[in-house]
Amino acid sequence: MVRRVDVVVIGAGPGGYVSAIRLGQLGKKTVLVEKQKLGGVCLNHGCIPSKALISAGRLARKIKDGGEIGLETTGLKIDFTKTQAWKSRVVNRLISGIKLLCERNGVDVVYGEANVEAGKMVKVKNSGATEELQADSIVVATGSRPIELRSFPFDGKLILDSTSVLDLSEVPGRLLVIGGGITGLEIGGMYQDLGAQLTVVELMDQVLPGFDPEVADVVYKSFLKRGAKIYLKADALGFETSTSGVKARLRSADVEVAEEFDKVLVAVGRKPNTSGLGLENIGVELDQRGFIKVDEQMRTTANGIYAIGDVAGPPFLAHKASREGIVAAEVICDLPSAMDNRAMPSAVFTDPEVATVGLTEEEAKRTLGGCVAERFPFQASGRALTQRESNGFVKMVADAQRKRILGVHIVGPDASDLISEAALAIEMGASAEDLALTVHPHPTLPEALMEAAEAIIGAPIHTLKRE
Amino acid sequence: MVLEFKLPDVGEGVAEGEIRRWFVKIGDQVSENQPLVEVMTDKVTVEIPSPKSGTVLDILAKEGQVVKVGTTIIIIGEKGEHTTLRSQPEPKSIEASSITPPVSAPARAASVLATPATRRLARELGIDIAQVRGTGDDGRVTEEDVRRHSSATTAATTPTASPVKGVEERVPLRGVRRRMAESMAMSLRTTAQFTLIDEVDVSKLVATRETLKPLAEKNGVKITYLPFVIKAVVKALKEYPYLNASLDDAKQEIVLKKDYNIGVAVDTGEGLVVPVIRDADKKSLFDLARNVEDLAQKARSSRLELDDIKGGTFSITSLGALGGLLATPIIHYPEVAILGVHRIDKKPVVRDGQIVVRDIAHISLSFDHRIIDGATAGRFTSRIKEMLEEPNQLIPELV
Ligand SMILES: Cc1cc2nc3c(=O)[nH]c(=O)nc-3n(C[C@H](O)[C@H](O)[C@H](O)COP(=O)(O)OP(=O)(O)OC[C@H]3O[C@@H](n4cnc5c(N)ncnc54)[C@H](O)[C@@H]3O)c2cc1C
């Protein structure tokens, strides 16, 4: 029996489930197909579980570091199984929330693996049974998965990907992270906080490649200060299993070393989940890197087929996936929607945190031929000092003539929360003056944004003017 | 001296014009009277010459934009002179902002200085926000700018260009087609139209035209059926003055025209225009033929001038060979009637109890029932039929 529906959404990550809910709200008969769990990578193996564990790690370190302000503790015991159980409760609570939202918005969730055939026919296989769905439109939201290194194939025990590393039942003693990007540093940092000895190998000459080098440098130094070993311009060549774990061969600046680790996390990037979907049979074109080609309205090259989220290309961010999901839903309903955002914020939950939106200073110089950039250090922030988190700064980039805000890069306490004000400023086309003239309550961290803006217009109060 | 050149009044009553094509660009040297821009107003296209020599300092109206008479469209001065007006928001301050590196190029709307809500409004109204002139600080496009732009243009542009193939193609409603859309809708909105159809035996007319052909050629004209139809219409109009009229709604008066200016619908390929044969009652058959040919030529090459299309009192649309047995023509408002002439076919008809083959054509007449009642319409139609069936009365003054 073929079931006729308006829209089939494939994949229930933050792209797919948000799109399905919006479609439901707009009155479309929508089926959401998921082969694993509602919430996708974000809820089950990404944003949420990693942030839960990161919070636990941070708290543990804060407790241990309390001595300086007179809060001595001895014998902090970490029961990681309990930590994991708490993490799962958080995840499950959010999943049941999504389930309820789907129900209430008339979205029908079907579990199984989807395959698309010509004529917008979607076949969903679930343990032998197949359900056939005939749709007017299809939204592909199948996400992405970790890239595997041939020299370090995942085994789920010693060589881990970002999924299995979040499900360990105990904190590894010695952890090697291959890839000093967002995922590697977030998870590596978390285990470091919980007691692991951390080693990071990064191919490029800075951690967090692609981020403002000054910002990355602050993160790099804090990792070192807490005892991590970070090899830059380095590579992991291979490994042998040993009695206690693995012996990995690392090469840095033409020197080869072999070091022992209990676990290895390979976090060198992600690739799109496009294979096995049948996209090649229905005229959906991929770009050179294998992502589905889409336009500003999330249309693929095949009529009536849309793609959103990780599978439609980087940046791999849950909020980007969700926004695209809403756009696709609205376009399907003939509403005038498009991805026309001026900026896409992103956050890294290391300690200190990093958050950025808009152009970096270097990009602004390259694309616009010039800009002004000013920094406000958290050292000068009353609130940061009272939180004992004064490492880092806010860097603001504005155009040279009118001082419109082009980018904001924050490394420091609660950067992930601070960035939204900057994103709003950029979306609104605000100038540094607009931000400087907006009163910010004292003492708070967002004052740092105001101060950076004041520096741009040449009137900083709490820093000295550069000569 | 900097001259802020404003769109001049290119003909009586013209309030706005669409910028069709700029012949100059910023930085060009222009001499006095050199054509600057092609502007399309109420169905005519005019070239506007430069009022002085100098350098083009700025161009303030984009091609395709509809501007009101009196709006500055170009600034001419000497090199290095400054202008107070600015055409574009500084694109630098906003362009390319900004998504972290690997993201595809930012959307076009994202490079315009406007808030997200304003950008969405533009999409809702089907406007490309990049085409909207911002009046705000730094060229910011405000919500008001978008609304103003929307009401100034009935034209709808693609809201967002899709690099990937979509399901439809969107063609901006511009030029002749836009005028056609406006005037046809206006006509149907305003008048109470009804159509009368009749069959005409044009066998004699066909023969007459054949006989006149050589003579016409000698006089350098190609004679079609249209001049005969015009002749018939003018004669009938003289007998039925309410058909050569318009209704002055405001004053509640019927205006009876004493001129017989007959509009002739011409298909330009881009839409319909209706150039006017002026004083048709005073013209000979061959003059009419010449006049029709001239105007059709001008229409097809977009060279019609405002005078060519103004002041019509009655219109004829000759669908002839283009097909269709019948049509219900739409009145060329504010006129009160229009005649449609259809193709001539050989048909069997009954004459004196015998079936004979004759040349038969259909005519369709639409009337504005606010002024013309059915009986008058019937009589007028019969009168035209009669004259087309007995064409001899149409040709007294041939040349
Ligand atoms: C460790 C980690 C931490 C992260 N932290 C953050 C963060 O802090 N902030 C942030 O913004 N982003 C974060 N991300 C990235 C974020 O998780 C992704 O960008 C986001 O999940 C992408 O959403 P999506 O809807 O495109 O796809 P996904 O979340 O990948 O969901 C795709 C879904 O489709 C299903 N699927 C695939 N193929 C089929 C098929 N054939 N049939 C049926 N179902 C199918 C999958 O099972 C999956 O559930 C993190 C990622 C990782 C790995």
Side-chain angles (χ1 to χ4, degrees):
Chain A
M1 247 279 291
V2 177
R3 177 144 64 114
R4 276 213 61 99
V5 297
D6 293 331
V7 189
V8 171
V9 180
I10 305 174
Y17 85 74
V18 167
S19 194
I21 289 175
R22 187 84 184 103
L23 283 161
Q25 288 171 346
L26 292 169
K28 293 281 176 193
K29 206 166 140 195
T30 305
V31 171
L32 177 60
V33 183
E34 170 56 54
K35 68 174 175 186
Q36 287 168 342
K37 283 180 164 179
L38 284 181
V41 168
C42 171
L43 246 78
N44 297 288
H45 320 292
C47 326
I48 299 301
S50 67
K51 264 85 263 183
L53 297 180
I54 285 167
S55 297
R58 269 193 209 167
L59 185 56
R61 183 158 46 78
K62 278 193 178 162
I63 292 170
K64 282 187 263 176
D65 288 351
E68 192 201 342
I69 56 170
L71 304 175
E72 297 282 354
T73 41
T74 45
L76 172 71
K77 187 170 158 278
I78 294 173
D79 183 345
F80 197 56
T81 346
K82 266 195 177 163
T83 313
Q84 286 286 28
W86 164 70
K87 174 202 83 179
S88 301
R89 285 200 300 280
V90 172
V91 168
N92 288 332
R93 187 162 164 176
L94 288 168
I95 291 180
S96 43
I98 295 173
K99 205 169 149 207
L100 186 74
L101 286 171
C102 285
E103 267 169 31
R104 293 286 162 88
N105 285 294
V107 174
D108 187 6
V109 181
V110 168
Y111 290 92
E113 179 151 8
N115 188 315
V116 189
E117 289 179 5
K120 282 174 245 162
M121 173 75 86
V122 180
K123 291 199 170 155
V124 185
K125 283 202 196 92
N126 192 348
S127 48
T130 301
E131 175 166 9
E132 293 183 326
L133 302 165
Q134 172 71 59
D136 290 338
S137 310
I138 296 174
V139 180
V140 179
T142 50
S144 64
R145 63 180 185 283
I147 291 176
E148 191 171 49
L149 289 179
R150 219 175 302 148
S151 47
F152 288 85
F154 297 131
D155 63 8
K157 301 219 154 33
L158 296 172
I159 314 299
L160 310 173
D161 63 11
S162 61
T163 300
S164 48
V165 77
L166 291 174
D167 292 332
L168 295 177
S169 51
E170 46 188 276
V171 176
R174 297 157 301 173
L175 175 66
L176 169 65
V177 173
I178 303 176
I182 303 176
T183 304
L185 290 196
E186 282 189 359
I187 297 175
M190 175 266 288
Y191 279 120
Q192 183 178 26
D193 283 349
L194 291 169
Q197 166 60 48
L198 175 67
T199 302
V200 178
V201 178
E202 167 56 49
L203 213 53
M204 307 299 283
D205 59 359
Q206 71 170 59
V207 293
L208 300 177
F211 284 80
D212 185 307
E214 289 181 318
V215 165
D217 194 54
V218 173
V219 176
Y220 174 68
K221 293 205 171 108
S222 343
F223 269 82
L224 295 188
K225 212 167 141 205
R226 265 176 246 137
K229 232 193 269 176
I230 300 184
Y231 296 107
L232 295 178
K233 290 197 262 183
D235 200 1
L237 305 173
F239 74 100
E240 287 142 31
T241 45
S242 63
T243 43
S244 60
V246 300
K247 189 172 208 165
R249 279 179 290 117
L250 312 177
R251 183 172 58 201
S252 169
D254 292 326
V255 183
E256 251 190 69
V257 290
E259 289 180 21
E260 292 262 0
F261 300 97
D262 297 297
K263 305 275 181 196
V264 180
L265 164 63
V266 179
V268 292
R270 303 183 67 79
K271 59 180 179 190
N273 292 329
T274 48
S275 59
L277 269 172
L279 296 179
E280 54 287 352
N281 307 328
I282 53 168
V284 173
E285 282 174 29
L286 309 180
D287 68 15
Q288 307 98 308
R289 292 170 305 165
F291 296 101
I292 298 177
K293 279 196 214 164
V294 289
D295 68 6
E296 214 178 58
Q297 297 190 302
M298 312 325 296
R299 292 193 185 93
T300 68
T301 47
N303 207 346
I305 314 239
Y306 300 75
I308 57 170
D310 285 7
V311 77
F316 303 133
L317 295 167
H319 44 274
K320 175 227 169 219
S322 300
R323 171 95 185 99
E324 290 182 344
I326 291 173
V327 169
E330 293 179 344
V331 170
I332 287 171
C333 297
D334 289 328
L335 293 172
S337 205
M339 278 301 283
D340 70 349
N341 289 85
R342 294 160 70 92
M344 183 61 70
S346 71
V348 187
F349 294 78
T350 45
D351 193 351
E353 288 185 352
V354 173
T356 141
V357 63
L359 300 183
T360 62
E361 183 177 3
E362 205 270 318
E363 283 167 341
K365 279 190 182 140
R366 199 178 56 226
T367 57
L368 308 177
C371 66
V372 284
E374 289 292 343
R375 302 199 313 179
F376 177 81
F378 282 109
Q379 293 282 0
S381 154
R383 187 64 186 129
L385 286 168
T386 62
Q387 283 179 210
R388 291 211 305 149
E389 288 178 304
S390 55
N391 194 8
F393 57 83
V394 169
K395 179 171 175 179
M396 190 172 285
V397 181
D399 85 272
Q401 290 87 35
R402 305 303 301 256
K403 312 288 191 293
R404 297 231 170 259
I405 299 170
L406 300 172
V408 173
H409 311 277
I410 307 173
V411 53
D414 296 352
S416 59
D417 287 330
L418 296 178
I419 202 66
S420 295
E421 181 182 357
L424 179 64
I426 292 177
E427 276 316 332
M428 298 293 290
S431 65
E433 200 171 4
D434 292 326
L435 226 72
L437 296 179
T438 301
V439 177
H440 287 61
H442 179 74
T444 59
L445 296 172
E447 284 176 294
L449 280 163
M450 176 181 74
E451 296 270 359
E454 285 171 350
I456 295 242
I457 61 171
I461 299 293
H462 292 97
T463 51
L464 294 173
K465 237 172 158 169
R466 276 201 248 168
E467 289 314 319
Chain B
M1 248 287 287
V2 175
L3 175 79
E4 291 175 1
F5 184 60
K6 301 183 169 60
L7 181 66
D9 185 351
V10 286
E12 48 176 305
V14 169
E16 58 179 30
E18 177 185 321
I19 305 292
R20 292 285 297 224
R21 193 148 52 105
W22 280 105
F23 301 116
V24 295
K25 55 183 190 308
I26 297 175
D28 279 3
Q29 280 296 321
V30 292
S31 47
E32 196 177 332
N33 287 329
Q34 178 184 335
L36 291 176
V37 62
E38 189 178 287
V39 174
M40 159 143 213
T41 68
D42 238 7
K43 293 176 195 151
V44 294
T45 309
V46 286
E47 282 179 10
I48 296 181
S50 177
K52 65 174 256 180
S53 314
T55 307
V56 178
L57 297 179
D58 208 347
I59 288 179
L60 295 131
K62 296 194 183 85
E63 289 182 2
Q65 195 177 327
V66 176
V67 278
K68 296 242 179 304
V69 167
T71 314
T72 303
I73 53 171
I74 187 169
I75 296 172
I76 298 168
E78 295 312 317
K79 250 206 187 86
E81 272 186 313
H82 290 290
T83 71
T84 45
L85 287 169
R86 293 242 30 152
S87 59
Q88 287 300 304
E90 268 301 272
K92 281 233 173 90
S93 60
I94 35 173
E95 135 194 305
S97 71
S98 88
I99 309 185
T100 30
V103 189
S104 55
R108 203 149 98 100
S111 66
V112 172
L113 186 55
T115 67
T118 308
R119 281 163 9 221
R120 166 177 284 198
L121 176 70
R123 284 198 306 272
E124 267 164 15
L125 296 174
I127 292 171
D128 177 359
I129 198 165
Q131 304 289 325
V132 180
R133 207 165 117 68
T135 58
D137 172 29
D138 237 0
R140 176 186 291 273
V141 177
T142 64
E143 194 182 314
E144 236 174 30
D145 294 335
V146 171
R147 292 196 192 280
R148 203 177 306 125
H149 186 95
S150 162
S151 47
T153 13
T154 21
T157 28
T158 318
T160 42
S162 356
V164 183
K165 157 177 92 201
V167 283
E168 58 192 11
E169 185 190 347
R170 283 169 169 262
V171 180
L173 187 59
R174 294 263 162 79
V176 173
R177 220 177 272 285
R178 186 163 71 86
R179 300 296 176 187
M180 177 172 79
E182 282 168 3
S183 90
M184 292 302 153
M186 172 70 157
S187 173
L188 286 181
R189 248 193 333 264
T190 318
T191 60
Q193 309 201 5
F194 73 104
T195 305
L196 247 177
I197 285 157
D198 211 338
E199 195 179 73
V200 185
D201 181 343
V202 290
S203 307
K204 285 186 187 162
L205 181 61
V206 171
T208 306
R209 176 173 164 256
E210 282 306 313
T211 0
L212 288 179
K213 253 187 181 170
L215 185 59
E217 241 159 66
K218 227 184 267 166
N219 279 277
V221 284
K222 222 179 103 207
I223 189 130
T224 61
Y225 294 106
L226 195 53
F228 295 95
V229 178
I230 296 171
K231 275 273 169 202
V233 162
V234 171
K235 270 181 175 281
L237 287 177
K238 289 203 160 167
E239 293 164 28
Y240 297 89
Y242 276 69
L243 282 146
N244 197 48
S246 66
L247 178 63
D248 186 338
D249 243 334
K251 297 207 178 108
Q252 290 290 297
E253 286 171 352
I254 297 166
V255 186
L256 304 177
K257 308 280 170 74
K258 299 301 172 195
D259 291 327
Y260 296 88
N261 299 336
I262 308 300
V264 182
V266 178
D267 170 39
T268 63
E270 276 181 51
L272 176 83
V273 286
V274 190
V276 173
I277 314 261
R278 222 154 279 284
D279 299 321
D281 58 326
K282 301 194 180 101
K283 288 183 177 160
S284 73
L285 206 57
F286 286 178
D287 280 345
L288 288 175
R290 235 174 253 123
N291 219 284
V292 167
E293 214 176 305
D294 258 18
L295 288 174
Q297 272 287 334
K298 271 174 129 179
R300 290 196 190 100
S301 52
S302 314
R303 282 187 299 107
L304 284 177
E305 286 158 37
L306 195 60
D307 272 351
D308 293 330
I309 59 153
K310 288 231 134 165
T313 58
F314 184 100
S315 295
I316 300 173
T317 172
S318 148
L319 282 151
L322 293 180
L325 179 66
L326 289 167
T328 55
I330 296 175
I331 294 171
H332 194 45
Y333 183 81
E335 295 163 19
V336 295
I338 184 168
L339 166 68
V341 196
H342 304 278
R343 77 165 179 262
I344 301 172
D345 285 322
K346 290 219 179 294
K347 290 236 167 98
V349 291
V350 180
R351 293 280 183 269
D352 305 324
Q354 299 287 316
I355 294 178
V356 291
V357 174
R358 308 285 293 175
D359 288 303
I360 302 293
H362 288 93
I363 56 173
S364 46
L365 281 123
S366 294
F367 302 91
D368 186 349
H369 216 325
R370 296 179 308 164
I371 300 175
I372 314 295
D373 55 77
T376 311
R379 276 183 225 117
F380 180 75
T381 307
S382 304
R383 185 68 184 111
I384 287 184
K385 173 182 158 95
E386 210 177 287
M387 284 189 277
L388 293 177
E389 293 193 335
E390 294 301 335
N392 280 345
Q393 37 182 327
L394 299 176
I395 48 173
E397 350 78 36
L398 206 57
V399 187

